[in-house]
Amino acid sequence: MAEVKTADRTLPTATRDHAQAFEDLDRFGYAIIEGALSIECLAALRARVTEQARGEDAQGLGFHDGKANQRIWMLPNKGRIFRDLMLDPLVDTFMGALLGKDFLLSSLTANIARPGGVPMYLHSDQGYVDFWTPKPLVANIAWMLDDFTDANGGTRLVPGSHLKSERVDYALADTVAAEGPAGAALIFDGRLTHGTGANVTEDQERRVILSYHCRPFVRQQENYFLGLDPEIRKAERGVFLRRLGFRIWAGLGRTHEPGEKGPLAPLDSPIGHLDAEGRKIADA
């Protein structure tokens, strides 16, 4: 693996070696997997994100984080290509190792950082937990649709911050830019402090898909039970629906008894208020 050396540490760079990536995750809280997307998949994802962003702007629905950044929410509704991406073996390999085999998709979004974008505030993805955990509760994959550089807003990271049991107010000077080629995947621990960088280029967009994952007992960022298109839910694969949380896990998420199997379906006729003979009566 190529290495970037600083005064006091050697930082991760893009690698195809999964063993090295796991070492980077343990030590620094992040790793960069080169070639995570095929050339064909990269081109298709880039085109779909760009088209969707323009379409949402045309409808007056575009969400702009400041003037330069555009975010696209709820990608499972916006193309099978995004749903297929969540079943990529790389997701199981790394999210399964960080969060356990029954992890869920918490949100699937895109971010387009355009010239003039300012740095995002520094945060950790499980910052809503008011205590440090020895293992991550959440973790992220940033699928790089363009080259990530310091200049075009490559994600800023504080290496090793995932291991700090006390909260620290980091400054931008404490961060490094995650740099890697288009098609790479930046994988990072949910305890790691990070934020979108500033795009100081004149003409470069930095597009990324963010797949945020969580342990099965954590509330998801996106509410797929309410927000997933009903037609997609009817047609989608069981393995994908279970990844969204349409299943029972350790008795959590049930609609009746905890032994139900397979993806949960909406209840057309839930058991209601019954009398002692089993007759339905008006709710008291």
Side-chain angles (χ1 to χ4, degrees):
M1 181 185 72
E3 295 181 338
V4 175
K5 294 185 178 180
T6 66
D8 59 350
R9 58 183 178 248
T10 301
L11 298 176
T13 56
T15 180
R16 294 177 183 268
D17 183 343
H18 285 193
Q20 180 63 59
F22 278 116
E23 288 184 24
D24 291 341
L25 277 164
D26 286 343
R27 182 179 177 192
F28 299 106
Y30 71 97
I32 303 169
I33 304 295
E34 187 173 0
L37 299 173
S38 69
I39 294 173
E40 296 77 15
C41 185
L42 172 62
L45 285 167
R46 185 188 288 144
R48 180 79 279 276
V49 166
T50 299
E51 180 182 48
Q52 185 69 31
R54 292 174 179 170
E56 293 188 9
D57 275 351
Q59 290 280 350
L61 301 173
F63 183 95
H64 292 266
D65 185 5
K67 294 182 178 180
N69 283 10
Q70 183 173 359
R71 294 185 183 269
I72 307 171
W73 311 111
M74 203 72 172
L75 291 183
N77 283 342
K78 298 173 181 177
R80 182 183 171 105
I81 191 171
F82 300 125
R83 303 192 296 275
D84 288 346
L85 181 62
M86 293 302 91
L87 300 180
D88 189 286
L90 184 142
V91 178
D92 282 303
T93 296
F94 285 93
M95 295 300 99
L98 288 170
L99 304 174
K101 65 182 180 63
D102 294 321
F103 68 90
L104 301 178
L105 179 65
S106 183
S107 63
L108 184 60
T109 64
N111 183 15
I112 303 174
R114 299 190 173 100
V118 299
M120 185 183 187
Y121 67 94
L122 296 177
H123 65 285
S124 72
D125 283 342
Q126 68 178 56
Y128 52 80
V129 181
D130 63 356
F131 52 87
W132 182 78
T133 60
K135 294 181 180 181
L137 302 181
V138 302
N140 216 320
I141 305 178
W143 305 84
M144 300 178 182
L145 303 187
D146 297 292
D147 293 345
F148 267 42
T149 68
D150 192 349
N152 73 5
T155 305
R156 309 294 306 186
L157 308 162
V158 180
S161 55
H162 66 304
L163 300 177
K164 302 295 184 182
S165 59
E166 300 295 329
R167 289 191 182 275
V168 179
D169 292 326
Y170 292 104
L172 199 60
D174 298 315
T175 68
V176 298
E179 298 188 284
L186 167 65
I187 301 169
F188 55 100
D189 189 302
R191 300 168 296 173
L192 188 77
T193 298
H194 68 282
T196 301
N199 188 337
V200 298
T201 69
E202 294 183 359
D203 58 0
Q204 294 180 29
E205 286 191 340
R206 191 230 61 184
R207 290 161 289 192
V208 63
I209 292 172
L210 299 167
S211 60
Y212 176 48
H213 309 264
C214 63
R215 290 184 183 270
F217 53 83
V218 174
R219 186 174 186 179
Q220 292 150 279
Q221 282 190 325
E222 292 183 324
N223 191 323
Y224 297 117
F225 308 105
L226 294 177
L228 186 66
D229 185 325
E231 294 306 311
I232 290 176
R233 178 171 173 171
K234 290 176 185 177
E236 252 305 335
R237 296 148 287 185
V239 64
F240 180 77
L241 293 176
R242 288 191 289 271
R243 182 62 50 81
L244 298 188
F246 289 93
R247 63 173 173 180
I248 296 170
W249 182 83
L252 302 179
R254 66 184 187 268
T255 56
H256 182 42
E257 55 93 8
E260 295 176 77
K261 305 297 183 183
L264 295 176
L267 293 180
D268 295 323
S269 301
I271 298 173
H273 193 154
L274 306 178
D275 67 13
E277 302 299 322
R279 294 172 297 222
K280 186 174 181 179
I281 57 177
D283 191 39

